[in-house]
């Protein structure tokens, strides 16, 4: 297989161009992939920072609201009255009709909704009875 110098030169040029194109394509592929990964990493990092700031602001807002409510005279008065009423409940005689209504509420409404969010056994009414 004797090729002329012109054919050999053309073949060498085609091979050189093909190899160069393959190398440039591979380099572009890997660099593009690395660039996309870096862009996605940057996007995820900024999303994480934004969500962290949102959570921090939420907790600061809740904390400020709790401080404001704890200093409110109406809230303080209500807590004092609730505490007194709770202690009076220990010695109070509850009419049976009230007790039945309360038991019905706990068994039919409160405990079934509570059980959906609690693992394990269904709580008994006696745990909640005053």
């Amino acid at each position: 297989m004797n090729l002329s110098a012109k054919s050999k030169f053309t073949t060498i040029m085609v091979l050189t161009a093909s190899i160069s194109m393959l190398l440039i394509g591979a380099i572009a592929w890997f660099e593009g992939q690395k660039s996309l990964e870096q862009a996605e990493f940057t996007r995820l990092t900024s999303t994480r920072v934004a969500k962290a700031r949102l959570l921090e602001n939420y907790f600061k807002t809740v904390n400020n609201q709790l401080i404001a409510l704890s200093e409110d005279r109406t809230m303080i008065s209500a807590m004092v009255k609730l505490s007194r009423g709770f202690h009076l409940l220990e010695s109070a005689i509850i009419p049976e009709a009230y007790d039945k209504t309360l038991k019905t509420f706990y068994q039919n409404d409160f405990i079934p909704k509570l059980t959906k969010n609690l693992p394990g056994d269904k709580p008994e009414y006696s745990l909640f009875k005053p």
Side-chain angles (χ1 to χ4, degrees):
M1 189 156 84
N2 278 336
L3 297 174
S4 67
K6 186 176 181 181
S7 295
K8 288 180 183 178
F9 182 72
T10 305
T11 304
I12 290 173
M13 291 304 287
V14 168
L15 284 173
T16 303
S18 297
I19 292 171
S20 297
M21 285 180 15
L22 284 173
L23 284 174
I24 290 171
I27 291 170
W29 171 268
F30 289 117
E31 288 298 317
Q33 192 171 6
K34 190 163 63 170
S35 176
L36 286 173
E37 285 177 3
Q38 184 62 34
E40 186 64 17
F41 182 77
T42 302
R43 186 187 69 79
L44 289 172
T45 302
S46 64
T47 301
R48 181 192 68 206
V49 169
K51 291 200 182 248
R53 284 187 186 142
L54 281 172
L55 275 173
E56 288 173 1
N57 287 338
Y58 171 75
F59 286 120
K60 284 179 186 176
T61 300
V62 169
N63 188 43
N64 290 339
Q65 289 174 342
L66 287 173
I67 290 170
L69 285 174
S70 70
E71 295 171 352
D72 182 32
R73 290 181 188 255
T74 306
M75 187 62 69
I76 293 169
S77 173
M79 292 303 296
V80 168
K81 289 178 182 177
L82 181 65
S83 180
R84 286 184 192 147
F86 184 76
H87 290 295
L88 288 174
L89 188 60
E90 291 176 359
S91 62
I93 299 172
I94 300 173
E96 192 159 328
Y98 291 177
D99 193 41
K100 285 182 182 178
T101 304
L102 186 62
K103 185 175 183 176
T104 302
F105 167 74
Y106 271 101
Q107 289 177 337
N108 296 339
D109 295 327
F110 183 76
I111 292 176
K113 289 179 183 175
L114 181 66
T115 305
K116 290 179 187 176
N117 298 317
L118 289 178
D121 297 333
K122 182 178 178 180
E124 294 295 322
Y125 168 68
S126 60
L127 293 172
F128 304 102
K129 184 179 179 181

